[in-house]
Every structure is written in structure tokens, then in C-alpha cells.
Amino acid sequence: MKLLAAAALAALALPYALAQTPCPRNSTALTGIVHDATQAIIPGASLSLDGGAPETSGADGHFRFNCVAEGSHQLSVSAQGFATQTLALKTPHPTAVDLTLKLEEVQTNLDVDADDNPSAASATSSGPTQTIAGNRLQSLADDPDDLLRQLQQLAAAAGGNPSNATIAVDGFQDSSKLPPKSSIAYIKVNPDQFSAEYREPPFGGGRVEVYTKPGQPTYHGALFATNGSPWMNARDPFSTSKAALGKQRYGFELTGPIRKKGSDFTMTLEHRSIDNFAVVNAITLDPSGNATRTVANVSTPQRLWIGTAKVDWQITPKNTFMTSYSANVNHLQNVGVGGTALAEAGYDSQQYEHILRFSNITTASAHLMHEARLSLKWDGETDNPTAKTTSLQVAGAFTGGGAALGPQRLHELATEYDDDAILTTKNHTIKAGMQLWVYRERLTLTNNFNGTYNFGGGIAPVLDASGNPTGQTETISGIEQYRRALAHLPGGTPTTYSNVAGSPTVNFTLVQNAFFVQDDWNMGHGVHIASGLRYFWQTNPTLLGSLTPRMGILWSPDKKNRWTLHAHGGMFAGRFGKGDQSEVQRMNGVDRVTSTIYSPVYGSPFVGATPIHSIRQYSPHLTNLTWSAWNIGGTRVLPHSFNLSADYYNGRIWNYTRTNNINSPLNDNPYGPRPGPANLNILQMQASGQGRVNAVFVGIEQHSLKRVQFFFGSVRVNLVDDTDDNEFSTPQTSTSNAGEFAHRTGQPMWNVFGNASFKLPEKLELSANFNGGGDAHYNITTGFDNNGDGNFNDRPQYATPGQAGAIQTPYGLLIASGGTGVFPRNQGVMPWTFYLDTNLQRAFKLTRNAKAEHAQTLTLNVRSANVLNHTNVKTVGGVLGSPLFGVPYAADNGRRIEGGVRYSF
């Protein structure tokens, strides 16, 4: 690790040494920043000095001209949606040039969005790529949780699951937490999905790149606070009483110069105090042993701190150095409670993430730029269960006892080093680079050290009024099985008891590395061709053969660029993460022994029992996940500046990783004969999964109207596979794949999203953001292990007419065992979710002089999340025959309202 850190720091210092090429005598550098009247930076602005070759403002809004002759000059600046500005100046200039562009008169309310012009797209731009800045950024939620949900939904426009979106900050590849919204300059959603620079395919969840604000040449800052009181908020949809829901946020931001020119800083600090409640909605037993509905509000308070600090330093005219520090420290109580999980099954969680980052950008020449970035991230989690008793899993009814994860400790040092070179010629832009990740994991994994009783139900004797067997049998639910266990009645034997014994310590180091090269070739006549190649390798497990090509073409057939058409194709290689390696080591069968006992004695599970042991391992023939994907689409500029976009995607998955028990019993009896060692489940991770996908995206936007701007989009995703996008997913039986090819759990087939802003009378501004998802799927199971392979994912079968124990369902007549035909996986369909968030604000200028260096503004706002109070169901009962089967029993928050005040200076 020390050698790695030294090498990375040396690479960061190398550009500084290369940047010392002196300019001719009587010449100097001209630097500055471009922003709008709200101080939001403008990336991609075109700057020309004395009519010469244009330069472009970078991602942070900064620009520089090297070796400018001393004397008088004319600097011309233009950007999409802004009036062109020409500035007379002299060099050497005493400070960095601070350029403020004004909006075009006919577009006085345009968002600051560098990608509004479809003709400006590169050949690698594909589908719903968006840049969010200025007013549109301000319209998004202030609360980090709500902001994350909105961005994830926008990223899903490319076809991925919103929850899988990668959140990358300031050019780093690894995913991290969102910084405070007040520190964000702009956001790019799904940039260049087919570029070799990125690992994730369009269907991998999407990508959100967040760029934080640079420091300003003069001091500016803000103080803010928001409050949401219980009387303002709606109760949980499944609660019978209103809980004391509330939220308070407060913080500050400050930016300014460190010295007169060439260096500046920005810093933010934010605290959130969230008084939330989880709603328990379960089936339990009353003191008399009767099944009863249990609904309760359980307090789940959160205390969270987010802080950032960033310094930009212009070392030389050709070299810029940036360093940043961010911290995210959270304390959460009663985590895991809600739905069928009782209060006793919760745990207290202390979480932290500290990131120290260094970036160095060097302009070696007019055509060559070098970027080096180093990130050191310390993150971890300490969890303490509310109870330390044995866990209870009663299928389809409740989860009780102590939390199964135990008092675990997770500590990680993650190092990321990125090194890129960008070469620009007359017709080519070539970017080549390396992306290195090193994860040092130090874990104390106590999962299931306290043991778990599972009551899945099944075949049991029929009892008479006195509790004696009648000689007949019936299928009982898990809650009835648990009742009989407590009453010591026949049929009350738990389905299984499982536990883990040994050392909880799991330590390892994971190394991942990628090399890429990407070329964007401007052929002229409106044609761009992109081509790229990416190579990836990693350790734990060792994978060396991931070489993936990419290709794309963009064509603007008319001179006015009203049409922009594109087509792309390529391959993508996945990677195995930290969770895969930690789970394989956790269940290695040596340092930790995982045991399962079938039909144990309740209270004394090991008495007279023969444990079934389980281990995990990688297949000796394991290969990397491979995608192939292509898309075709385009953008049309309609009259009155409407933009219409449409895209079609198609993809195929090979070598998808899933787990199979290669030593499952041959006669469905867990103690029966097996192909290998007796009484041992060998859970092997194999590259045997397959999948396919197609997606259609349509979007329309309007950002030129004086009073209203909006964006609306929708995507339909048809993604099916036999892995459920989970390396540990197992088929219900190791001998057949029938019914396994299905939609992924929780992946909506439909995603809709949009935002709009309105200029109202009296200088009021109203913004609205909405997103929704529909036709997400969930699995339907029997609740117990029908075939004795150790996996409780067995699905029911179709029943024959008149068959005893059959249950009528919306999917037909089903039975837990002994039926005919295979019931497919993930046949359940979730209700639609729909969120509409609004914000109404008014800014009051406190400084009369419009040209004042430190203009003061007071902004008041009222923001609402889920303003329609729509019931957004998160969980539906999926255990056949259980009391909650087919019944929604958990949902996301109801309507929340908060008022805020912000003082800017």
C-alpha cells in the first residue's frame, strides 16, 4: 500500500514537472472562470482571444490561454443560451478574469445547461444524456435522500434499475455519497454510455457524474435552514396513527480566494436531524396463541453530518492542482425495522465515510492535456443489535428475535488512481487512461452467529380440539407452525435452525485495474465516428480476459443541425465486488462453519441432530460477466425550440454469475444421498447465467419559453435473465432451469420522469419534479425448502382441479408441493410508484446596488416531497398461504413538507 501511494503521488507530481516549459519573453498566461448571474459555472463556453483559435471552459468553468503577449487584447465569450460578450483587457492581467454571461433576451429564463443544443453532442453521446445546472439544478430536492432518488430515476432512462445507479464525484470513477446540493456546480446524467472510459453498460443502472463548485475570486457564502414539523407531514400509509415525523436541516457554505490570484477555496457543512418512524405491519400471536395483526410505529431517528472542503491552486500557467476532503458521518437507530420486521429485530448503526482527493490537470501543449487523480477513502460501519437473542423467521408473518447480522464491524480503505491523457488534433480527440482501484477490507462479520429458527410451514397433522392428531394431514402456514411450537403441539417442530460458528474476522485486499483508449473522429459533413477499447483485470477472484471494444457514429444530416442521428454498439465486462469476496471467505467452511439443522428441537437445536454444513466457492472455470449492446436513436429540433429525443436499445448477457448447489441431495431429502460428500451444500459461483434486454426511451424538452421550461421522458425496459442480477441467486433446483428466466426482482418495466419550472407573478418561482415506476416484479415462494438443498426459494406448482390444499390465486390454482408444472419466477407484479415533489420560492434582494461585490439575498421556500401523498408500496407478501400473501404491507414515506430560509452574501 505504501508503494502504491508513493507511486500515485509521484504520478501526480510528474505533470507539475512537465508543466515548467517557459513561455517566450514578454508573454504571460491569461486565466479565469465563466459563470452566470447566479454564480453557477458554465462549462463548455467558447472563448476566443483576438479572433484566434477558440478555447473551451472546462468542467469547473475555468479557462486559460497560455503564453499571451503583453498588451491590449479582445476576449470574446459565447455559450448556448447566453448573449455573446466581448471584453477589452490588458496583459499581464493582475487577477483571474471573472466573466459573467447574461442570458439572451429572448431566452431570459433558460437553464444553464451545456447540453441543450443537440448538435453539440459527441459521437459517443447516446440516448438520454442530460446536463443539469443553474435553475434546473436548483429545482431538484435539497434533501440528499430525495435528491438521490430523483437522480437515480433520471439515470434509469437508459434502462437500468434506479437503485443501481453509479454516483461519481469530480471525475472519479468509484461510486460515493452525494455531496451537499449547495456545493454542486452541475450534474451529468448518463454521459457517453458507450465510451470505453466507462465500465457500466446502459442497463447497469445508469451513471450520474456530479461536479462540485470551484472557489470564487471574491468571498461569498450562505447560511441556510429548513424545518419540517409533525403537523406538516402525512402519516405513513400503513400506520393506524400519525407519528411525530419531522426534519431539520441547517448549514453554511463559504468560498473565496486564498491569495490574490491563482488559488481559492470552497467549504460546506450541513447537519440533518430526521425524526422518522418505521411502521411494523406483521402477523403475530396474542397471549392466547391466536394470530393477530400487529401494527405499530417504531421511532427510527437519524442524525447526519455532511461536510466538504476544496482548494484549487493554479501552480503555473499550465498546471492546476486541486485537493478536496469530504466527510459523511451518520447515526441511525432501529435500522431494519418495518414491514414484518418487529422492533426487537432492529439495530443501531454508526456509519462514516471520509474521502481525501487530489487532482492535477496539466496542459502540456495546445493539443495535449494530462489529468491525474488520487482518492483515499476511509469508510465503515458499526452495528449493534437491539437484542442478542436467536433470530426468528416466520414465513409471511413476522421476523423477530435478535437481528441476524449481529454486532458487526466493517472497515475499508479504498484507493483509486486515475491517469488520463487527452490528445486533440484537427479532426481527432483521443483519450487514453488507466483506472486503478485497491480495496483493503477489515471486517468482523457476525451474521447468524446468534442462530436463526425458520418456521416455513408445510405438511403437518390435523389436530382435534384437544390438540391431538386425527390421523390426517394438512398444509399449515409458518405462523401456525410457530404457534404449535410454543404450545408444544404436534407439527410445531421448526423447519430449520441455522447458525455460524468460528472466527468472525474476514480480511482481504481486492485489486482492480482497467486501461482504455477512446477516439472521437470528426469526419466532416456532420459525421462523427467514435471507437474505443477497454481492458479490465482484477484479483479475488483473478480475472484477466476482459477486452471489450466499442463503436459509435453520429450524423447531423442538415446544415442547421435540426436532426442528430446516432448508432452505437459494443461489449461490456462486469466485475466482482468486495461483497462477493467477503461472502466467499465468510462461508469458507474452515474459519467459519455454517450449519443447518432440519426439524430441530425448539430451544435445543443440536440435541440429537446431524448438521448440514454449507460452503461457498468460486468455480474453477469462472469467467467475467459479458454484455453486448447496441442502440439507435436521435434528436429532432421542433418548431418553437422543442427538442424530441428517441432511442432503442438491445442487449444480450453471457457468462452471468449465479450460484448453484453442486452437491444438492438427489432425493429431495437433505440427509439423503448426494453426488459428493454427505451432508454438505457446496454453493458454487458459476458463469452459467444468461439474459437479454430491449428498451425504448422517448423524451421531449423545452427550455426557451419565457415563463415555463420542462423536460419529460419515459423508458420501457424488458429485461429478463436467470440470475436476478445477483451473484448469490440460486435456481430453485440444481437439476432444472425451468421457470428461472424472468424479470428481475424490483426492476420496473416502466420508468417515467420529468421536471418543470414556472415563473409566477410577484417574482415567485415554482418547480416540480416527478418520477414513477410500474410493473416491477416480485417472487412467489412456498416459504420452505421443498427439495432439501438449503435454499428457501422454492416456488409453488400448479394444482389439479379438486386437489387438497390448493389455493386460488390471481395466477391460477397453486399448491405448495405435489402439483403439476413449474410456476415461473417473479410472477408477482408490484403497484405503480409515483412521486411528485414541488418547491415554491421567492428571493428578496437585500442589496440595492446591483453591481455590489457582495450582493445579499434572502430566499424563502416551501418544499414538498410526494405532494400527492401517493401510496408508494415497497413490499407485497409473496409466501403462498401466509396471512399476508398478495397483500401490500410496507410503503415509502407519505407527503412531507418543509419550509426553508437561505441568506446569501
Side-chain angles (χ1 to χ4, degrees):
M1 291 297 294
K2 291 181 178 180
L3 288 174
L4 174 65
L9 288 171
L12 283 168
L14 180 60
Y16 173 72
L18 294 176
Q20 303 308 304
T21 304
C23 291
R25 294 184 62 184
N26 300 322
S27 65
T28 185
L30 180 66
T31 63
I33 184 173
V34 186
H35 55 74
D36 69 358
T38 69
Q39 296 299 311
I41 59 93
I42 303 178
S46 178
L47 301 102
S48 178
L49 190 64
D50 300 329
E55 295 286 340
T56 302
S57 60
D60 58 1
H62 279 91
F63 68 89
R64 58 181 167 271
F65 291 89
N66 297 313
C67 304
V68 178
E70 294 182 3
S72 299
H73 300 277
Q74 295 285 328
L75 178 61
S76 178
V77 191
S78 62
Q80 175 69 22
F82 293 88
T84 300
Q85 178 177 329
T86 301
L87 177 68
L89 50 80
K90 292 183 178 182
T91 56
H93 202 268
T95 61
V97 180
D98 187 12
L99 292 169
T100 301
L101 297 188
K102 297 181 179 179
L103 295 166
E104 292 178 349
E105 185 175 351
V106 295
Q107 296 178 326
T108 54
N109 293 302
L110 268 176
D111 288 344
V112 180
D113 190 335
D115 282 357
D116 279 347
N117 181 8
S119 65
S122 73
T124 49
S125 294
S126 59
T129 298
Q130 300 183 59
T131 299
I132 302 173
N135 291 336
R136 190 174 174 197
L137 174 61
Q138 293 306 311
S139 73
L140 297 179
D142 294 323
D143 182 85
D145 295 331
D146 293 335
L147 177 60
L148 176 62
R149 169 176 55 80
Q150 291 173 352
L151 294 175
Q152 287 175 329
Q153 197 73 25
L154 288 174
N161 191 325
S163 62
N164 293 339
T166 297
I167 308 296
V169 179
D170 286 335
F172 288 88
Q173 296 290 314
D174 211 2
S175 191
S176 60
K177 295 184 182 297
L178 275 174
K181 178 187 166 186
S182 60
S183 70
I184 297 175
Y186 69 100
I187 301 171
K188 293 183 74 69
V189 180
N190 292 333
D192 303 343
Q193 289 286 281
F194 283 83
S195 170
E197 184 176 359
Y198 303 118
R199 177 191 65 86
E200 305 92 344
F203 317 105
R207 184 176 184 85
V208 177
E209 293 190 341
V210 178
Y211 294 90
T212 56
K213 295 177 181 177
Q216 298 296 314
T218 58
Y219 290 103
H220 294 279
L223 300 172
F224 64 87
T226 64
N227 178 73
S229 298
W231 63 270
M232 304 164 67
N233 300 316
R235 67 175 178 84
D236 185 282
F238 290 100
S239 174
T240 56
S241 61
K242 186 176 181 179
L245 302 172
K247 180 187 297 183
Q248 292 76 42
R249 293 177 56 248
Y250 53 85
F252 78 91
E253 60 182 82
L254 182 65
T255 181
I258 297 176
R259 55 182 184 178
K260 288 185 177 181
K261 62 176 182 177
S263 65
D264 46 56
F265 75 94
T266 181
M267 59 188 302
T268 66
L269 182 64
E270 177 180 318
H271 176 68
R272 286 189 293 159
S273 180
I274 303 174
D275 294 312
N276 212 341
F277 285 78
V279 177
V280 173
N281 191 351
I283 305 297
T284 60
L285 299 177
D286 65 16
S288 301
N290 300 313
T292 182
R293 190 72 170 262
T294 298
V295 180
N297 294 330
V298 179
S299 175
T300 57
Q302 302 179 23
R303 303 296 181 261
L304 309 100
W305 286 94
I306 307 174
T308 66
K310 182 179 180 182
V311 173
D312 300 315
W313 181 21
Q314 188 80 34
I315 302 176
T316 73
K318 292 187 176 183
N319 187 270
T320 301
F321 178 78
M322 291 168 282
T323 183
S324 66
Y325 168 74
S326 65
N328 197 303
V329 181
N330 305 322
H331 180 202
L332 301 85
Q333 297 182 42
N334 290 325
V335 181
V337 177
T340 57
L342 306 181
E344 64 193 45
Y347 60 94
D348 182 277
S349 183
Q350 297 274 2
Q351 304 172 2
Y352 68 89
E353 179 187 84
H354 299 274
I355 305 178
L356 182 61
R357 285 173 167 167
F358 307 92
S359 299
N360 191 289
I361 301 175
T362 301
T363 304
S365 70
H367 301 288
L368 180 63
M369 185 171 70
H370 177 262
E371 299 177 354
R373 293 181 293 272
L374 174 66
S375 172
L376 302 173
K377 179 172 70 172
W378 296 266
D379 65 275
E381 183 174 330
T382 300
D383 300 320
N384 290 301
T386 302
K388 297 183 179 179
T389 57
T390 301
S391 179
L392 292 173
Q393 301 281 346
V394 181
F398 75 89
T399 297
L405 56 74
Q408 69 174 2
R409 306 289 186 273
L410 313 176
H411 299 283
E412 174 189 75
L413 171 58
T415 303
E416 178 182 346
Y417 177 68
D418 304 316
D419 197 286
D420 303 330
I422 303 174
L423 176 64
T424 303
T425 66
K426 181 179 180 181
N427 296 318
H428 290 267
T429 299
I430 301 173
K431 186 173 184 178
M434 178 191 74
Q435 300 161 353
L436 173 67
W437 300 269
V438 180
Y439 302 98
R440 183 178 179 269
E441 305 295 313
R442 297 296 180 264
L443 313 173
T444 302
L445 300 178
T446 52
N447 187 46
N448 210 23
F449 270 60
N450 58 332
T452 300
Y453 282 106
N454 185 289
F455 292 88
I459 304 300
V462 176
L463 305 180
D464 61 20
S466 300
N468 298 313
T470 64
Q472 299 177 314
T473 61
E474 62 178 338
T475 300
I476 63 173
S477 65
I479 190 68
E480 170 62 16
Q481 185 183 22
Y482 178 60
R483 184 192 71 83
R484 294 187 183 190
L486 295 180
H488 305 288
L489 295 174
T493 302
T495 305
T496 62
Y497 172 84
S498 63
N499 81 332
V500 179
S503 169
T505 302
V506 175
N507 297 332
F508 64 92
T509 299
L510 171 63
V511 179
Q512 299 174 333
N513 197 7
F515 302 91
F516 73 91
V517 59
Q518 181 75 24
D519 175 35
D520 187 355
W521 175 24
N522 181 1
M523 293 183 62
H525 304 289
V527 177
H528 287 251
I529 293 181
S531 57
L533 191 65
R534 182 180 179 88
Y535 176 72
F536 174 82
W537 64 269
Q538 74 167 72
T539 63
N540 285 330
T542 300
L543 297 171
L544 303 174
S546 300
L547 186 66
T548 52
R550 315 280 173 85
M551 194 74 181
I553 183 171
L554 179 143
W555 179 38
S556 296
D558 63 323
K559 294 182 179 180
K560 293 185 178 181
N561 293 326
R562 290 171 298 185
W563 282 97
T564 303
L565 307 175
H566 58 250
H568 299 81
M571 300 187 70
F572 304 81
R575 63 179 178 182
F576 290 85
K578 301 161 288 185
D580 299 319
Q581 180 64 21
S582 64
E583 184 66 7
V584 169
Q585 287 190 211
R586 188 184 73 85
M587 292 184 61
N588 63 10
V590 178
D591 303 289
R592 289 151 296 280
V593 177
T594 300
S595 304
T596 301
I597 298 170
Y598 286 79
S599 302
V601 177
Y602 188 48
S604 302
F606 286 97
V607 174
T610 301
I612 304 292
H613 297 305
S614 299
I615 62 173
R616 290 193 187 275
Q617 61 179 217
Y618 295 116
S619 167
H621 307 293
L622 191 66
T623 58
N624 210 338
L625 156 70
T626 303
W627 281 83
S628 71
W630 61 267
N631 95 309
I632 186 170
T635 302
R636 175 70 163 94
V637 179
L638 302 175
H640 307 292
S641 299
F642 284 84
N643 290 333
L644 177 66
S645 301
D647 263 87
Y648 175 77
Y649 294 88
N650 195 286
R652 183 75 167 84
I653 315 172
W654 294 275
N655 306 327
Y656 213 110
T657 307
R658 64 175 185 166
T659 297
N660 202 7
N661 186 352
I662 62 174
N663 196 41
S664 60
L666 300 176
N667 62 352
D668 296 341
N669 185 335
Y671 296 101
R674 298 172 181 254
N679 302 330
L680 177 66
N681 293 317
I682 303 177
L683 306 176
Q684 188 178 87
M685 296 174 66
Q686 304 173 341
S688 60
Q690 304 286 315
R692 65 176 183 269
V693 61
N694 61 75
V696 179
F697 163 80
V698 177
I700 188 168
E701 62 180 339
Q702 166 58 261
H703 292 293
S704 66
L705 297 178
K706 184 177 181 179
R707 295 289 181 181
V708 180
Q709 298 94 46
F710 68 86
F711 165 79
F712 173 80
S714 176
V715 62
R716 184 186 185 277
V717 183
N718 184 26
L719 194 161
V720 295
D721 62 18
D722 56 4
T723 71
D724 213 28
D725 195 27
N726 183 353
E727 295 89 343
F728 304 119
S729 174
T730 60
Q732 69 169 356
T733 173
S734 62
T735 59
S736 172
N737 204 41
E740 297 296 330
F741 220 68
H743 292 93
R744 291 179 175 177
T745 301
Q747 168 99 33
M749 287 190 65
W750 285 96
N751 283 298
V752 294
F753 34 82
N755 51 65
S757 59
F758 307 88
K759 299 292 184 181
L760 303 179
E762 303 300 328
K763 298 183 179 180
L764 290 171
E765 297 182 13
L766 174 65
S767 61
N769 288 271
F770 74 91
N771 57 74
D775 292 352
H777 290 253
Y778 66 94
N779 204 17
I780 294 173
T781 66
T782 62
F784 45 91
D785 183 10
N786 296 67
N787 55 13
D789 65 354
N791 296 312
F792 284 74
N793 63 345
D794 300 86
R795 302 189 297 275
Q797 294 179 299
Y798 292 103
T800 57
Q803 186 172 358
I807 300 174
Q808 184 63 51
T809 74
Y811 318 101
L813 200 61
L814 301 179
I815 193 167
S817 62
T820 60
V822 177
F823 186 71
R825 182 172 63 88
N826 280 353
Q827 283 294 94
V829 179
M830 299 281 292
W832 268 74
T833 62
F834 190 88
Y835 298 85
L836 176 62
D837 304 337
T838 62
N839 181 61
L840 180 66
Q841 71 177 37
R842 169 70 155 86
F844 300 88
K845 294 183 179 180
L846 305 181
T847 305
R848 294 184 178 181
N849 183 3
K851 297 182 179 180
E853 188 174 275
H854 298 285
Q856 301 179 58
T857 305
L858 184 68
T859 303
L860 305 178
N861 78 295
V862 177
R863 186 179 296 275
S864 176
N866 190 14
V867 66
L868 299 180
N869 201 30
H870 184 262
T871 300
N872 293 303
V873 173
K874 295 192 298 184
T875 313
V876 177
V879 177
L880 183 70
S882 69
L884 294 176
F885 175 67
V887 178
Y889 60 82
D892 206 352
N893 293 317
R895 179 176 53 249
R896 290 174 295 142
I897 300 176
E898 62 183 36
V901 57
R902 179 183 179 89
Y903 168 67
S904 303
F905 59 89

